[in-house]
């Protein structure tokens, strides 16, 4: 007796391949995007696509190679299931990027139901809220803290509903570039996950165990926890990371460092040094949130570097800078921001930071010109009075032997007094002036709050501040999930009476 299921699967696969060939000939296009498709069973497929195709076309290509129907596949990117109508070129994909194809469990159980039930189930699946564009397309720019996510989000959504990220790409770009946000399962490191909610602030992205996910990887060793009623449940968390958009993807291990103090200046805050309003700015982590343009920030760093005026953050152990307005607790925590300097300056910054660490640890720098090797000698028991204990040799460097106390060539007996005018010289900053009046106007929080109070009104439903920049009085809330129609004059729901009495004021 023949195995009818085997024959059915064989005929179906041949039929799908024929459809695929017919589809290619009808489209008449040249594939120009090479990507990898990872399945939830551990397989990886290399696929060539046309960026103008949509996700439905992609499913048709992948389905035959997975031995299933296009309707039984869902495509995941950046924590979101992509709709069939999503265009591939809108997904921030580059050459050699990775998508995840998940085979949906068999629908044989639904086949026993009537046709109307199956169609209804399919329609609900198509409109599922989990589907949509990846996070980079739907996220607004993240606020720097958790104090005012609604305020920052509302301002951003008035401009454009798209997140902007700046990263440092160490390989291969070795430069500050634009970035895109991606997410993995923190347990199995698989990208085949859908987030339970979008990140609302930078702590959601930078700190662990902030957002839970649903992992589609069949090989994921999901951890378990017990709730109050002793029922076992799976708890999986997201691990967010960033990729550079300027080079061909190097795989899922290709990551870049987020420079989260650099933001698009959607609030039009002037620079505290030059007072210009630039599109991209750096926001210092001080309470006032002072803003500086990137050109002035480079000048500020260059002057402080030239005068060796960088400081050590004792709490974090970083060689860094504070807000130029003198604000307390304003050290820049992510030192990769200093990659805005030239490569030569950043190398000098690293050398100065290493030297400062050696000195703070009780070490010495070799005094011989063009050496400067850091040396941490053993602490002498007699305070260094013994001649042998005062003898220091630059091992691993130039080999110079010198006296611990006077830093001259090693000698026996008392040290001669040496003039040290250079070490007593007080260096003053002369390249980055800060006017106290300008500093008041360059506060990120205060200036934006004043602008919001003057030029916006809250949505009557969700209280999101909304700005009217012309047109009629019919307002539609821009906050995702609200979409409330309201009247700018009455500040209530939009009605036919509003349309008749003051549609245009």
């Amino acid at each position: 007796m023949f195995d009818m299921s085997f024959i059915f699967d064989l005929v179906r696969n041949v039929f799908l391949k024929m459809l695929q060939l017919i589809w290619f000939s009808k489209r008449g296009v040249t594939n120009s995007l090479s990507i990898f498709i990872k399945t939830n069973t551990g397989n990886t497929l290399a696929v060539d696509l046309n960026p103008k195709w949509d996700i439905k076309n992609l499913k048709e290509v992948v389905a035959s190679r997975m031995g299933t129907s296009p309707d039984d596949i869902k495509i995941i990117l950046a924590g979101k299931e992509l709709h069939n109508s999503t265009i591939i070129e809108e997904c921030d994909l580059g050459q050699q990027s990775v998508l995840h194809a998940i085979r949906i469990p068999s629908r044989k159980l639904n086949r026993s139901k009537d046709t109307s039930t199956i169609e209804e189930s399919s329609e609900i699946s198509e409109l599922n809220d989990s589907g949509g564009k990846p996070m980079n397309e739907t996220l607004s720019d993240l606020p720097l803290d958790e104090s005012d996510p609604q305020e920052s989000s509302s301002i951003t959504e008035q401009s454009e509903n798209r997140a902007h990220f700046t990263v440092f790409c160490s390989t291969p770009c070795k430069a500050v570039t634009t970035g895109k946000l991606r997410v993995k399962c923190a347990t199995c490191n698989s990208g085949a996950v859908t987030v339970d909610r979008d990140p609302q602030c930078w702590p959601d992205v930078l700190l662990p165990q902030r957002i839970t996910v649903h992992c589609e990887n069949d090989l994921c060793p999901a951890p378990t926890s017990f709730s109050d009623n002793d029922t076992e449940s799976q708890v999986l968390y997201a691990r967010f990371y960033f990729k550079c958009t300027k080079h061909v993807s190097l795989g899922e291990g290709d990551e870049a460092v987020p420079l989260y103090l650099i933001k698009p200046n959607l609030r039009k805050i002037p620079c505290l040094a030059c007072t210009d309003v630039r599109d991209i700015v750096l926001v210092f982590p001080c309470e006032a949130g002072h803003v500086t343009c990137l050109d002035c920030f480079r000048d500020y760093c260059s002057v402080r570097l030239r005068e060796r005026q960088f400081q050590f953050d004792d709490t974090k152990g970083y060689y860094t800078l504070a807000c130029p307005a003198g604000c307390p607790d304003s050290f820049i925590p992510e030192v990769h921001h200093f990659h805005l300097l030239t490569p030569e300056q950043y190398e000098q910054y690293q050398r100065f930071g290493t030297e400062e660490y050696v000195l703070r640890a009780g070490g010495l720098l070799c005094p011989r010109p063009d050496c400067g090797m850091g040396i941490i000698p053993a602490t002498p028991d007699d305070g260094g009075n013994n001649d042998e204990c005062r003898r220091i040799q630059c091992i691993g460097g130039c080999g110079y032997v010198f006296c611990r106390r006077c830093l001259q060539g090693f000698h026996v007996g008392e040290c001669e007094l040496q003039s040290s005018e250079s070490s007593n010289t007080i260096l003053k900053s002369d390249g980055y002036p800060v006017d106290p009046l300008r500093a008041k106007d360059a506060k990120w929080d205060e200036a934006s709050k004043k602008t919001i109070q003057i030029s916006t009104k809250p949505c009557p439903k969700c209280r999101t501040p909304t700005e009217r920049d012309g047109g009629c009085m019919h307002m539609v809330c821009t906050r995702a999930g609200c979409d409330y129609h309201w009247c700018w004059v009455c500040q209530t729901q939009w009605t036919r009476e509003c349309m008749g009495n003051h549609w245009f004021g």
Side-chain angles (χ1 to χ4, degrees):
M1 177 179 289
F2 291 103
D3 188 348
M4 297 301 297
S5 62
F6 172 77
I7 296 177
F8 175 78
D9 290 339
L10 179 62
V11 172
R12 185 185 65 173
N13 290 338
V14 172
F15 180 70
L16 289 175
K17 289 183 179 179
M18 292 177 62
L19 286 179
Q20 181 178 335
L21 292 174
I22 295 173
W23 172 258
F24 287 159
S25 61
K26 291 177 64 177
R27 299 286 285 193
V29 294
T30 302
N31 296 329
S32 59
L33 183 62
S34 298
I35 66 172
F36 293 105
I37 304 291
K38 285 195 171 185
T39 69
N40 55 323
T41 57
N43 297 325
T44 301
L45 310 175
V47 180
D48 293 330
L49 303 174
N50 186 307
K52 300 297 183 182
W53 291 355
D54 55 26
I55 296 301
K56 184 177 181 181
N57 303 145
L58 173 62
K59 289 181 178 180
E60 293 173 352
V61 174
V62 175
S64 60
R65 300 179 63 175
M66 292 182 64
T68 186
S69 168
D71 294 335
D72 292 335
I73 297 176
K74 59 181 178 181
I75 303 297
I76 292 179
L77 172 65
K80 295 293 183 69
E81 177 186 348
L82 303 184
H83 277 315
N84 285 344
S85 59
T86 301
I87 305 300
I88 292 174
E89 67 179 357
E90 297 178 357
C91 296
D92 277 339
L93 289 175
Q95 296 291 346
Q96 312 302 319
S97 291
V98 177
L99 292 178
H100 295 268
I102 307 302
R103 186 170 183 172
I104 303 173
S106 176
R107 300 179 181 177
K108 292 181 179 179
L109 294 178
N110 292 334
R111 292 176 181 172
S112 61
K113 301 179 181 180
D114 56 39
T115 306
S116 62
T117 305
I118 297 176
E119 291 178 353
E120 180 182 355
S121 175
S122 176
E123 181 179 357
I124 293 174
S125 176
E126 191 70 26
L127 299 176
N128 195 307
D129 290 338
S130 66
K133 294 183 178 180
M135 286 186 296
N136 259 35
E137 296 290 331
T138 57
L139 275 183
S140 58
D141 287 284
L142 302 178
L144 293 180
D145 53 40
E146 299 176 279
S147 59
D148 59 349
Q150 281 191 352
E151 175 186 314
S152 178
S153 177
S154 62
I155 296 174
T156 302
E157 291 169 1
Q158 293 168 20
S159 296
E160 56 179 330
N161 198 19
R162 174 77 181 274
H164 300 75
F165 301 110
T166 302
V167 299
F168 172 69
C169 176
S170 59
T171 303
C173 299
K174 299 181 180 179
V176 175
T177 68
T178 57
K180 51 190 176 183
L181 182 63
R182 294 292 183 258
V183 62
K184 296 180 180 179
C185 172
T187 300
C188 68
N189 214 35
S190 170
V193 298
T194 52
V195 294
D196 291 332
R197 69 173 178 86
D198 288 344
Q200 301 297 315
C201 55
W202 274 106
D204 281 348
V205 173
L206 300 178
L207 300 180
Q209 297 187 357
R210 298 272 298 193
I211 295 180
T212 55
V213 298
H214 176 67
C215 184
E216 302 281 2
N217 180 17
D218 293 343
L219 306 178
C220 179
T224 57
S225 64
F226 293 89
S227 57
D228 295 337
N229 56 2
D230 293 333
T231 58
E232 188 176 3
S233 61
Q234 295 182 344
V235 180
L236 294 172
Y237 290 98
R239 183 180 78 82
F240 292 96
Y241 66 102
F242 290 82
K243 298 174 73 75
C244 172
T245 61
K246 298 299 183 181
H247 67 265
V248 175
S249 175
L250 304 178
E252 289 187 288
D254 181 18
E255 299 188 15
V257 180
L259 306 183
Y260 49 86
L261 298 183
I262 300 177
K263 292 179 62 70
N265 192 9
L266 302 177
R267 304 177 181 184
K268 306 302 180 184
I269 308 298
C271 170
L272 82 167
C274 69
T275 71
D276 287 348
V277 178
R278 302 291 183 87
D279 293 335
I280 302 296
V281 294
L282 184 141
V283 185
F284 283 93
C286 53
E287 184 176 356
H290 283 115
V291 172
T292 178
C293 67
L294 299 189
D295 289 338
C296 287
F297 179 73
R298 291 188 187 95
D299 292 341
Y300 173 53
C301 295
S302 298
V303 171
R304 291 295 190 266
L305 183 65
R306 185 169 60 248
E307 300 177 350
R308 296 195 70 146
Q309 293 297 303
F310 276 65
Q311 304 175 55
F312 246 93
D313 181 357
D314 294 325
T315 59
K316 301 291 182 62
Y318 297 146
Y319 192 53
T320 183
L321 285 176
C323 174
C327 300
D329 301 324
S330 60
F331 284 122
I332 294 176
E334 179 50 75
V335 298
H336 285 89
H337 285 87
F338 300 125
H339 276 289
L340 288 168
L341 296 168
T342 65
E344 294 77 15
Q345 288 176 317
Y346 188 79
E347 183 180 354
Q348 187 181 41
Y349 155 76
Q350 287 184 306
R351 185 173 72 253
F352 287 173
T354 303
E355 292 174 355
E356 186 68 21
Y357 175 81
V358 171
L359 295 175
R360 293 170 68 88
L364 303 167
L365 302 178
C366 176
R368 194 165 189 177
D370 300 324
C371 181
M373 171 67 71
I375 307 168
I376 302 181
T379 303
D381 296 333
D382 62 351
N385 294 322
N386 184 280
D387 287 343
E388 190 60 31
C389 292
R390 290 193 291 115
R391 182 182 183 276
I392 305 296
Q393 183 176 5
C394 181
I395 300 176
C398 64
Y400 182 55
V401 180
F402 60 96
C403 174
R404 177 199 290 265
R405 289 191 295 179
C406 67
L407 303 182
Q408 302 299 312
F410 178 71
H411 58 87
V412 178
E414 295 297 325
C415 300
E416 296 181 4
L417 295 177
Q418 301 291 330
S419 60
S420 57
E421 296 179 1
S422 60
S423 62
N424 294 328
T425 301
I426 299 177
L427 300 176
K428 298 182 179 179
S429 172
D430 59 355
Y432 195 84
V434 176
D435 188 326
L437 296 179
R438 293 180 180 179
K440 291 182 179 180
D441 294 333
K443 291 182 179 180
W444 185 267
D445 291 332
E446 295 299 324
S448 62
K449 289 177 182 178
K450 292 178 182 178
T451 302
I452 291 174
Q453 292 173 356
I454 295 173
S455 61
T456 68
K457 291 183 180 181
C459 167
K461 182 178 179 181
C462 68
R463 311 308 296 172
T464 297
T466 305
E467 180 181 11
R468 176 178 172 270
D469 57 357
C472 67
M473 301 299 168
H474 183 188
M475 309 298 295
V476 180
C477 183
T478 57
R479 185 180 182 186
C482 181
D483 300 326
Y484 187 70
H485 291 250
W486 56 285
C487 176
W488 179 264
V489 177
C490 305
Q491 296 191 61
T492 57
Q493 185 176 9
W494 181 259
T495 63
R496 294 181 62 89
E497 183 178 356
C498 296
M499 183 185 299
N501 294 338
H502 44 250
W503 193 359
F504 289 98

